[in-house]
Amino acid sequence: MYPGLLDLYGDSGNVEALRYRCAVRGIDLEVFTHELGDEKRADIADMDIIYLGGGADYEQQQLAEDLISYRKELSDAHKNGTFMLMICGGYQLMGKYYKDSNDKKIDGLGLFEYYTEASTDKRDRCIGNIVVEAELDGKKYKVIGFENHGGQTFGSDKPFGRTLCGNGNVRGGEYEGYMEERVIATYLHGPLLSKNPLLTDYIISKCTGIEQLKKLDDSLEERCRDILLKRLLK
Ligand code: GLN
């Protein structure tokens, strides 16, 4: 949803990563977009996955009202097991509210209990590389990304992972994001999915119901990850 507004740090690349890893396995992936101002209402109920990228305070303000008009459809989709992936600004808007750096409160969808508040000191931001240890179907996986947020998120009772490097939900915090089996909300840009192929496959598995996906040659990605992990976790 809103790829024109929520595409910080190339977050739309997450859709490309899903598309690529589906295509090489012969899995059809059809992408529907909903933009602010679209006359036709988005068909939320028919989707296997809903995706929102990150955006700055200004973009979040612009689209909040439109997003809230989809509260019922998105809440039903969540209850029916539609996968939800949300990055940074999108993550914040699915919670109760986001109080931005001008002290302006933007109502969120309230799908989840967490809420986010930014300091009014605009320089007070969590910026830099981040590594989070998440558990995907019982297996620990180091998720690599980049964070840049003023918002500090409180009340995430089911974090996406433990912060190994960087901040996460709050400055100097121990945990990052929010996760349910079919929900991932995280501050990690990257784009997240191209840097973390196993996470992409976790999502594809949940969306398609295919438990054993065909293995792909990820040697280049793994080499890149090894270099980054060595650099970031020293
Ligand atoms: N505007 C939000 C913040 O600064 C989200 C920014 C983002 O999506 N990177 O906290």
Side-chain angles (χ1 to χ4, degrees):
M1 296 180 84
Y2 316 106
L5 289 169
L6 297 181
D7 187 24
L8 264 187
Y9 305 107
D11 284 338
S12 297
N14 290 324
V15 179
E16 292 313 310
L18 287 170
R19 199 197 298 274
Y20 171 75
R21 293 183 77 82
C22 280
V24 288
R25 293 175 167 124
I27 301 169
D28 279 338
L29 173 75
E30 215 178 334
V31 178
F32 297 86
T33 55
H34 170 71
E35 292 284 9
L36 190 64
D38 277 359
E39 269 170 36
K40 196 175 166 294
R41 292 220 20 111
D43 204 351
I44 305 285
D46 263 5
M47 303 300 146
D48 296 313
I49 178 168
I50 300 289
Y51 171 64
L52 275 92
D57 294 9
Y58 177 70
E59 282 81 18
Q60 286 175 285
Q61 263 175 43
Q62 279 190 307
L63 64 87
E65 199 184 314
D66 189 74
L67 181 67
I68 285 171
S69 77
Y70 285 99
R71 181 179 273 142
K72 166 107 181 55
E73 287 100 317
L74 286 166
S75 160
D76 288 349
H78 172 235
K79 280 186 207 127
N80 293 333
T82 302
F83 201 99
M84 300 192 138
L85 174 64
M86 287 101 42
I87 312 294
C88 201
Y91 165 26
Q92 295 171 345
L93 288 176
M94 288 291 175
K96 282 191 185 153
Y97 67 86
Y98 171 49
K99 193 147 73 64
D100 73 14
S101 55
N102 294 316
D103 236 358
K104 193 171 166 9
K105 198 167 162 191
I106 306 172
D107 280 334
L109 222 60
L111 232 53
F112 309 108
E113 285 299 302
Y114 57 78
Y115 58 95
T116 306
E117 298 184 347
S119 156
T120 48
D121 176 356
K122 294 192 196 322
R123 290 162 307 179
D124 184 8
R125 303 186 64 80
C126 301
I127 305 175
N129 290 310
I130 172 165
V131 181
V132 168
E133 187 160 68
E135 216 170 289
L136 307 176
D137 282 334
K139 284 194 209 95
K140 288 198 162 66
Y141 185 58
K142 291 189 177 65
V143 185
I144 305 170
F146 174 80
E147 61 180 334
N148 183 357
H149 53 105
Q152 310 280 299
T153 299
F154 304 95
S156 167
D157 55 346
K158 288 175 255 175
F160 175 43
R162 209 162 55 82
T163 308
L164 302 181
C165 147
N167 295 282
N169 284 338
V170 296
R171 177 176 301 291
E174 214 182 322
Y175 293 102
E176 201 285 324
Y178 177 82
M179 184 177 192
E180 295 174 9
E181 197 192 334
R182 304 177 77 84
V183 174
I184 294 177
T186 173
Y187 274 111
L188 273 63
H189 300 279
L192 172 76
L193 298 186
S194 57
K195 276 187 173 161
N196 301 289
L198 248 64
L199 178 61
T200 318
D201 286 357
Y202 171 87
I203 295 172
I204 294 172
S205 276
K206 297 290 167 195
C207 291
T208 58
I210 305 171
E211 276 178 32
Q212 288 300 325
L213 287 168
K214 199 174 121 210
K215 262 199 94 42
L216 302 183
D217 176 9
D218 289 331
S219 45
L220 207 55
E221 287 85 345
E222 288 309 328
R223 254 177 69 199
C224 185
R225 286 173 51 80
D226 283 349
I227 292 168
L228 283 174
L229 289 173
K230 258 190 213 117
R231 195 185 294 163
L232 299 174
L233 299 182
K234 57 177 184 254

